[in-house]
Amino acid sequence: MTSTTAETAITTAQTSEAELLIGGMTCASCAARVERKLNRMEGVSATVNFATEKAKVTYGAGVQVADLIATVEKTGYTAEEPAPPEPEPEAATGAPEQDPELGALRHRLLVSALLAAPVVLLAMVPSLQFDNWQWLSLTLAAPVVVWGGAPFHRAAWTNLRHGAATMDTLVSVGTLAAFGWSLWALFFGDAGMPGMHGEFRLTVSRMDGASTIYLEVAAGVVALILLGRYLEARSKRRAGAALRALMELGAKDVAVLRDGREVRVPVADLAVGDRFVVRPGEKIATDGTVVEGVSAVDAAMLTGESVPVDVGPGDRVTGATVNAGGRLVVEAARVGADTQLARMAKLVEDAQNGKAEVQRLADRISAVFVPVVILVALGTFGVWLGVTGDTVAAFTAAVAVLIIACPCALGLATPTALMVGTGRGAQLGILIKGPEVLESTRRVDTVVLDKTGTVTTGRMTLQAVYAADGEDEKELLRLAGALEHASEHPVARAIAAGAEERAGALPPVEHFENVPGRGVRGRVDGREVAVGRLYEELPKELARAAREAEQEGRTAVVAGWDGRARGVLAVADAIKETSAEAVRELRALGLRPVLLTGDNRTVAEAVAKSVGIDSGDVFAEVLPEDKVDVVRRLQREGRAVAMVGDGVNDAAALATADLGLAMGTGTDAAIEAGDLTLVRGDLRVAADAIRLSRRTLATIKGNLVWAFGYNVAALPLAAAGLLNPMIAGAAMAFSSVFVVTNSLRLRRFR
């Protein structure tokens, strides 16, 4: 037993991790096959994610990355290690249409659809059939089947060489069989004769085959399946942008002190121990310690703290936060991958690369469905040949089986419902990122709400004014607002804006002075005015007002003149007017709301009370890593967690949650990490988003039930010879029309 434990410890110590980019996967069953092959290697544990097209592999000392790549390539796919991250031009972060692979798929779809449309019309509308129309159909259908269907044929050939079958196999076999039979009928049968007209017949007859062509089926199936693939790919391509959005937050260059002079260098050249200068308004280049200067640092993008933090010599600062006040000199403590920003990026990456809990239903079932259909088609051919002795009738019945079973509706079930659902969502301010998201909306029972920018506005505003006995509130605002107007501190700006709104134009200031860490003072209208923490004693009513303001989660600022405190100004991050109503709607959906914030507990509990969240469901004073831990802790308790946030500090938690809802008014990192984006920034839209997602999921499941039910019911009819391939093609087309029509009902969602 001891020996085994020691061996395990050695093995654990010797394991390494690698990430591989997998190419050539077309469905979730492809990812499952790659994963299965990798896990069969000794000492290897792998997870393959179809959505991100990545494999995360843990391997022992006897295995090399080259061995992993070789195994993937033997399975019929490509693999390579990711290239080091490089800054990308702005255009690279644009719409998914700019992706070269997606653009090529779109081009293939458009050309195939334009060529297939007249082929289908000529075959299905006999009145359009002119002399030798069949040869025009062949001319138009050939490039669709050969070039348009090339991705399916290549995938089917790869699967065949490795003894596997997927939906690609059935699409390829069905279209090639229909096309091949059409070629035989045109060149060796009666179908190529001038004046030939296509007819609809319900059953297979002995003389049908030589005069019947199925070009519209071959071309139509390819075009429709390409449409499904394009819609699916378009919704998938934005998956990896969160990391880029995170890293873009950091400073690009930095003013390093070298021999007493400032030298601009790229942030990548910064080393631990270097001292660098941060001017007002600039981002702090990396994590470090302040050695000179005093200022206020806005860390809301990383910590969620709504009030900027005053810093001075000896205080630690974090990279990517903004210097909102004076000049600082900072000594670098951590650089590169060790910084808090880089660690957050790693958290998002790990969360996004995790294996999706729910695989696409169509791909799972097709692993069994496709081989069964092929066997049924072969069996149909054999039985008909044995019973009737007629090769034409036998082959016609077998082709009918393949065509009736072509999973066109199956391929459209998810992307069409998703397209209509997301289109309607966009009209309502809701962006749904992909079909995997929808299953989570059905299961979630807990919704975690970030405070700053989600429940609140994310902006400091003047909330209340308490004037001492005998003092005029308007005069208090006018003098204090004038002094604060000369300061750059965010709290001062909130007071100045509130004073200007309530008291009108503000007078000028003379002899303005900033007292580090305590406040500001100066001369206004001949009076010596001071605002901040510059008064040793306060009148009882002002001391009480300050305490009450702080108990309500507000920042209390004392203002006065001529040596006496005259009033208290209460500043806070204002709660959005719709937040309380949104919490009620979320509860009505059966969700338990939880407040999660980097702010202090007093502020957090005051906000929670205002919007109707229980104090026991408040997590306060948490760092980004802690936010992820809270989400994971709730998940370990058996809860399915939805997370609503808007800041960079929420990105990792959004990616870790079962369902991430990002406020569209927030940062790009949060938006890209979320599964759903609420464009309007109104928390009430979160409830609408969950309702729409659940409705879309129900539509997708209904589509899949119809698609599979149609195939199960139609296959016996085709095998029995009760459907000729033309009817099979029409039934297949009707199945697709039904799926699309059912999906279009989502446009009426309110």
Side-chain angles (χ1 to χ4, degrees):
M1 187 72 72
T2 306
S3 174
T4 303
T5 305
E7 288 175 9
T8 303
I10 292 171
T11 302
T12 303
Q14 293 176 341
T15 58
S16 303
E17 286 191 356
E19 185 177 81
L20 299 177
L21 301 177
I22 309 296
M25 296 191 298
T26 58
C27 62
S29 57
C30 297
R33 188 156 61 254
V34 174
E35 186 175 296
R36 207 162 44 241
K37 290 286 188 180
L38 286 171
N39 284 324
R40 285 176 184 168
M41 298 175 67
E42 189 173 351
V44 172
S45 174
T47 300
V48 179
N49 188 313
F50 171 58
T52 60
E53 298 178 337
K54 290 181 180 179
K56 191 172 183 180
V57 189
T58 304
Y59 56 96
V63 181
Q64 303 295 326
V65 174
D67 300 329
L68 302 174
I69 292 175
T71 298
V72 175
E73 290 176 345
K74 287 177 184 175
T75 312
Y77 305 91
T78 63
E80 61 180 356
E81 292 186 88
E86 296 179 1
E88 296 193 24
E90 290 297 320
T93 62
E97 303 292 347
Q98 297 180 4
D99 183 283
E101 189 175 336
L102 192 65
L105 180 57
R106 181 173 180 269
H107 176 68
R108 191 181 296 271
L109 166 63
L110 289 176
V111 173
S112 298
L114 288 173
L115 293 176
V119 177
V120 173
L121 284 173
L122 285 171
M124 306 301 281
V125 184
S127 60
L128 297 179
Q129 296 172 359
F130 51 88
D131 284 347
N132 294 314
W133 66 273
Q134 65 271 43
W135 296 104
L136 175 62
S137 292
L138 176 62
T139 304
L140 295 174
V144 176
V145 175
V146 176
W147 176 78
F152 310 128
H153 306 321
R154 281 196 298 265
W157 174 244
T158 300
N159 293 330
L160 179 63
R161 288 192 294 116
H162 295 89
T166 65
M167 283 172 60
D168 288 315
T169 306
L170 198 50
V171 172
S172 179
V173 171
T175 55
L176 289 179
F179 187 68
W181 181 261
S182 300
L183 290 178
W184 183 88
L186 285 169
F187 288 99
F188 301 103
D190 302 327
M193 297 176 63
M196 189 280 286
H197 290 276
E199 298 179 20
F200 285 101
R201 292 184 182 176
L202 294 177
T203 59
V204 174
S205 63
R206 290 196 171 207
M207 300 307 294
D208 278 346
S211 60
T212 304
I213 57 174
Y214 315 121
L215 293 172
E216 80 288 350
V217 174
V221 167
V222 168
L224 286 167
I225 296 295
L226 282 174
L227 173 63
R229 286 285 170 87
Y230 172 72
L231 295 175
E232 180 181 357
R234 191 175 62 174
S235 67
K236 193 178 78 173
R237 288 300 175 191
R238 303 183 76 96
L243 296 179
R244 184 165 61 249
L246 266 179
M247 300 314 296
E248 283 295 315
L249 284 172
K252 302 298 182 291
D253 54 23
V254 58
V256 181
L257 290 175
R258 300 270 168 85
D259 299 325
R261 294 187 305 109
E262 294 183 21
V263 180
R264 280 274 164 189
V265 301
V267 169
D269 294 342
L270 203 59
V272 173
D274 282 348
R275 293 191 174 189
F276 58 92
V277 176
V278 189
R279 292 183 174 79
E282 290 184 341
K283 292 179 181 178
I284 297 173
T286 193
D287 301 356
T289 304
V290 176
V291 292
E292 290 180 27
V294 291
S295 182
V297 173
D298 182 358
M301 63 175 63
L302 289 179
T303 67
E305 180 68 44
S306 56
V307 180
V309 179
D310 291 323
V311 296
D315 291 331
R316 300 186 68 82
V317 290
T318 305
T321 55
V322 178
N323 178 15
R327 178 180 183 272
L328 294 176
V329 177
V330 180
E331 183 175 304
R334 290 185 298 207
V335 297
D338 294 330
T339 65
Q340 184 171 333
L341 180 65
R343 292 201 308 272
M344 288 174 61
K346 178 64 175 169
L347 285 172
V348 175
E349 184 178 29
D350 289 344
Q352 290 192 339
N353 285 345
K355 189 173 181 63
E357 293 182 8
V358 182
Q359 298 291 352
R360 285 180 172 81
L361 182 60
D363 288 317
R364 287 206 306 269
I365 296 181
S366 69
V368 177
F369 178 73
V370 173
V372 167
V373 169
I374 294 173
L375 289 175
V376 170
L378 292 174
T380 299
F381 179 81
V383 170
W384 272 82
L385 187 62
V387 172
T388 67
D390 190 328
T391 304
V392 171
F395 192 77
T396 304
V399 169
V401 168
L402 287 172
I403 292 172
I404 199 74
C406 268
C408 190
L410 206 56
L412 290 171
T414 294
T416 52
L418 187 66
M419 179 181 66
V420 180
T422 53
R424 180 59 184 149
Q427 294 175 334
L428 301 174
I430 303 162
L431 301 181
I432 304 171
K433 290 202 173 176
E436 301 93 343
V437 171
L438 304 175
E439 184 70 26
S440 299
T441 64
R442 183 182 61 83
R443 296 186 294 106
V444 292
D445 53 32
T446 302
V447 57
V448 178
L449 306 175
D450 170 57
K451 183 186 76 67
T452 306
T454 302
V455 176
T456 65
T457 62
R459 298 186 305 274
M460 301 298 290
T461 57
L462 181 62
Q463 298 285 302
V465 180
Y466 306 94
D469 294 340
E471 299 293 343
D472 180 63
E473 181 179 307
K474 189 172 182 180
E475 181 70 2
L476 172 67
L477 278 172
R478 200 174 70 88
L479 297 177
L483 187 63
E484 292 285 57
H485 192 269
S487 172
E488 291 298 319
H489 196 286
V491 170
R493 288 200 296 269
I495 292 174
E500 200 164 19
E501 182 181 337
R502 301 185 191 189
L506 303 177
V509 178
E510 299 174 342
H511 309 301
F512 176 82
E513 180 186 357
N514 181 19
V515 184
R518 299 191 64 193
V520 293
R521 57 193 174 198
R523 191 172 184 83
V524 183
D525 283 354
R527 296 173 178 174
E528 298 296 331
V529 183
V531 180
R533 302 171 184 172
L534 296 169
Y535 295 94
E536 299 296 332
E537 294 185 8
L538 299 179
K540 288 183 180 179
E541 69 271 18
L542 292 186
R544 184 172 61 253
R547 284 196 304 273
E548 289 176 354
E550 290 173 352
Q551 287 170 359
E552 292 173 359
R554 299 172 175 176
T555 299
V557 179
V558 180
W561 53 85
D562 298 336
R564 286 178 52 198
R566 312 281 180 159
V568 172
L569 309 174
V571 178
D573 182 7
I575 298 172
K576 293 180 180 178
E577 294 179 359
T578 59
S579 291
E581 182 183 347
V583 169
R584 288 195 296 272
E585 291 183 5
L586 291 169
R587 285 189 186 277
L589 286 171
L591 303 175
R592 173 185 173 187
V594 172
L595 189 68
L596 183 60
T597 179
D599 259 340
N600 65 67
R601 177 156 291 277
T602 302
V603 172
E605 290 188 348
V607 171
K609 182 179 179 182
S610 299
V611 299
I613 296 176
D614 300 333
S615 60
D617 290 328
V618 175
F619 294 87
E621 301 173 10
V622 290
L623 296 173
E625 294 88 345
D626 299 324
K627 290 191 175 187
V628 173
D629 290 340
V630 169
V631 171
R632 286 177 176 160
R633 186 166 76 196
L634 292 170
Q635 290 171 329
R636 286 195 296 271
E637 292 174 3
R639 301 186 198 173
V641 180
M643 169 77 188
V644 187
D646 77 321
V648 177
N649 58 301
D650 304 316
L654 285 167
T656 303
D658 299 285
L659 179 69
L661 295 92
M663 306 296 281
T665 50
T667 64
D668 289 342
I671 292 170
E672 294 296 344
D675 301 309
L676 296 165
T677 300
L678 315 179
V679 177
R680 297 204 308 266
D682 186 339
L683 188 57
R684 290 177 301 179
V685 182
D688 293 334
I690 291 174
R691 274 194 292 267
L692 175 61
S693 298
R694 288 176 176 178
R695 182 80 60 83
T696 305
L697 175 65
T699 302
I700 288 173
K701 288 189 172 181
N703 287 346
L704 290 172
V705 168
W706 163 262
F708 282 118
Y710 150 81
N711 279 328
V712 169
L715 275 174
L717 295 176
L722 298 177
L723 292 175
N724 83 5
M726 184 69 78
I727 289 293
M732 183 275 298
F734 171 75
S735 177
S736 301
V737 170
F738 175 86
V739 165
V740 173
T741 304
N742 187 47
S743 299
L744 288 175
R745 294 189 304 125
L746 287 168
R747 292 190 300 182
R748 298 195 294 269
F749 175 84
R750 294 287 183 268

